Amino acid sequence: MSSDSELPAGHRSGFVAVAGRPNVGKSTLINSLLGQPVAAVSSKPQTTRRNQLGILTLPQAQVVFVDTPGIHKPAHKLGQAMNATAEEALQEADLILVLFDAGQAPSEGDRRVAERIQAVERRPPVLATLNKIDLLPAEQLPERMADYQPLLPEAEWLAISATRGDNRDLLLQRILAMLPEGPRYYPEDEVTDFYERDIAADLLRAAAMSLLRQEVPHCIAVRIDDYKERGERGAYIAATLFVERESQKPIVIGKGGAMLREIGIMARREIEAMSGRKVYLDLRVKVLPRWRNDEKALKRLGYRVPRRSTQERVER
Ligand SMILES: Nc1nc2c(ncn2[C@@H]2O[C@H](COP(=O)(O)OP(=O)(O)OP(=O)(O)O)[C@@H](O)[C@H]2O)c(=O)[nH]1
Ligand SMILES: [Mg+2]
């Protein structure tokens, strides 16, 4: 790591909580700003379940993005834990970067997010973005923006597309301008605080979530059982996909194992892109009854179970 004495005068840094309701593109945006995939993305809401850092080190600044679970109305203890985690990131941020979906009019869920942000004590600056503008005819953008702006009237607003890259540089410029002066918190070659096996678990779950339907995607949890380096042959990863009910097991496995094979192929591709080496995946499926409402199971799976006071606040 560079010592602070080597940093240019006026070096800026800070934690940027990336927030919004599920599926607005938070993880996609962080991957795009970092220029490499560290956060799992899927087409289904509630893909991100824990806060994950994405660290961007530039000559003049270090931006520590905090990817957060989408804030939503929780239906079980896992949902409560996810909301509490996201809110914790808001409380600790130097800057809040909030995303909304330009493809849709403001919803109850967006209002909930705006309320949570406005409730933050000693609130840091807020940069609000209308993401996915590629989904909207350009002439409709001003009107859509005008519909969203009242949600956070004090925020600075910007229209972007995380997938197409619209206003990516402008967004980064604004983030840098809104961060305080400060040191490098992390070594310059560190891109995330997750170990490779944690990212692999999330990429595997995201692959399963992408391919499965209805409630099944949300009932999946992944445990990495073994992660071995095998030199030239790449990594050997054994993992268990947990479901909540016996009836979900054949859905995840598919006819003659077809679905599990498809999940494996998709996950392997993503894990190889993330880790830069060949990967062999060995998957199995098990039932962990109603794990999303089981505090012990949640803790064992690495989810932080909120304190009671936080739970009550989230449930209201
Ligand atoms: N068309 C379009 N799709 C996007 C854009 N950004 C993200 N997406 C898609 O939106 C879906 C959700 O993206 P994620 O990055 O997983 O969203 P998220 O906000 O992290 O979602 P949660 O983790 O569930 O809270 C994926 O299918 C992305 O490809 C965008 O700018 N345009
Ligand atoms: Mg996400």
Side-chain angles (χ1 to χ4, degrees):
M1 175 160 79
S2 312
S3 73
D4 278 358
S5 60
E6 291 167 27
L7 294 176
H11 183 275
R12 289 170 184 267
S13 61
F15 286 71
V16 180
V18 182
R21 65 175 169 75
N23 215 39
V24 290
K26 300 176 292 296
S27 303
T28 305
L29 179 65
I30 291 172
N31 287 340
S32 152
L33 289 166
L34 295 181
Q36 59 178 292
V38 298
V41 165
S42 94
S43 54
K44 306 287 193 308
Q46 300 176 23
T47 302
T48 303
R49 290 180 179 166
R50 295 180 294 169
N51 291 346
Q52 179 182 5
L53 303 185
I55 306 159
L56 179 66
T57 302
L58 301 168
Q60 76 283 17
Q62 185 171 65
V63 189
V64 186
F65 294 103
V66 187
D67 192 6
T68 65
I71 294 170
H72 64 287
K73 195 172 176 188
H76 37 64
K77 285 184 178 150
L78 171 64
Q80 290 169 356
M82 287 161 61
N83 278 342
T85 303
E87 295 210 13
E88 196 175 85
L90 293 179
Q91 309 288 344
E92 292 168 1
D94 297 300
L95 172 67
I96 295 174
L97 174 62
V98 56
L99 277 72
F100 297 98
D101 184 341
Q104 299 170 18
S107 64
E108 205 41 53
D110 294 311
R111 270 181 271 279
R112 175 193 304 270
V113 169
E115 270 166 31
R116 292 296 176 219
I117 290 175
Q118 267 160 338
V120 173
E121 276 174 50
R122 292 190 298 279
R123 188 169 67 246
V126 179
L127 182 53
T129 58
L130 208 49
N131 185 35
K132 308 198 186 185
I133 57 168
D134 55 294
L135 296 178
L136 191 72
E139 65 275 13
Q140 288 178 24
L141 182 57
E143 195 184 328
R144 191 48 52 95
M145 189 56 116
D147 290 342
Y148 272 96
Q149 275 171 332
L151 293 185
L152 290 164
E154 289 154 33
E156 181 175 326
W157 283 80
L158 202 62
I160 62 166
S161 164
T163 47
R164 205 168 60 181
D166 303 30
N167 280 339
R168 186 182 171 284
D169 292 346
L170 182 59
L171 172 64
L172 192 54
Q173 245 178 49
R174 294 312 304 149
I175 292 170
L176 295 182
M178 292 168 90
L179 283 179
E181 285 192 15
R184 266 187 195 161
Y185 294 109
Y186 295 91
E188 60 189 321
D189 57 355
E190 202 161 315
V191 190
T192 181
D193 61 332
F194 274 28
Y195 291 109
E196 209 173 281
R197 62 187 287 157
D198 298 321
I199 305 177
D202 276 356
L203 292 173
L204 175 53
R205 184 170 49 80
M209 289 182 74
S210 293
L211 294 167
L212 295 163
R213 280 183 293 173
Q214 289 164 354
E215 90 290 0
V216 189
H218 305 292
C219 298
I220 303 265
V222 170
R223 184 185 68 203
I224 302 291
D225 301 314
D226 198 4
Y227 203 123
K228 268 204 251 339
E229 288 305 331
R230 300 182 308 173
E232 291 267 292
R233 288 186 299 153
Y236 166 84
I237 306 173
T240 304
L241 284 89
F242 291 106
V243 289
E244 285 205 312
R245 287 195 299 274
E246 204 56 57
S247 61
Q248 293 167 335
K249 215 169 135 176
I251 300 174
V252 176
I253 294 169
K255 254 206 184 103
M259 177 53 85
L260 194 59
R261 230 176 355 259
E262 213 181 322
I263 292 170
I265 290 168
M266 185 168 174
R268 179 163 52 77
R269 219 183 303 131
E270 302 275 332
I271 297 169
E272 287 180 342
M274 178 271 298
S275 67
R277 68 170 115 74
K278 276 177 76 76
V279 162
Y280 179 85
L281 270 183
D282 191 0
L283 304 180
R284 69 207 63 217
V285 182
K286 279 190 188 158
V287 182
L288 188 56
R290 302 195 317 122
W291 66 264
R292 288 183 301 172
N293 261 322
D294 179 343
E295 284 188 17
K296 257 193 208 143
L298 287 172
K299 278 188 193 155
R300 280 185 200 151
L301 289 164
Y303 300 112
R304 205 179 52 72
V305 178
R307 296 186 308 273
R308 183 152 300 280
S309 60
T310 321
Q311 272 182 33
E312 279 162 6
R313 190 154 47 81
V314 170
E315 263 168 350
R316 247 211 326 261

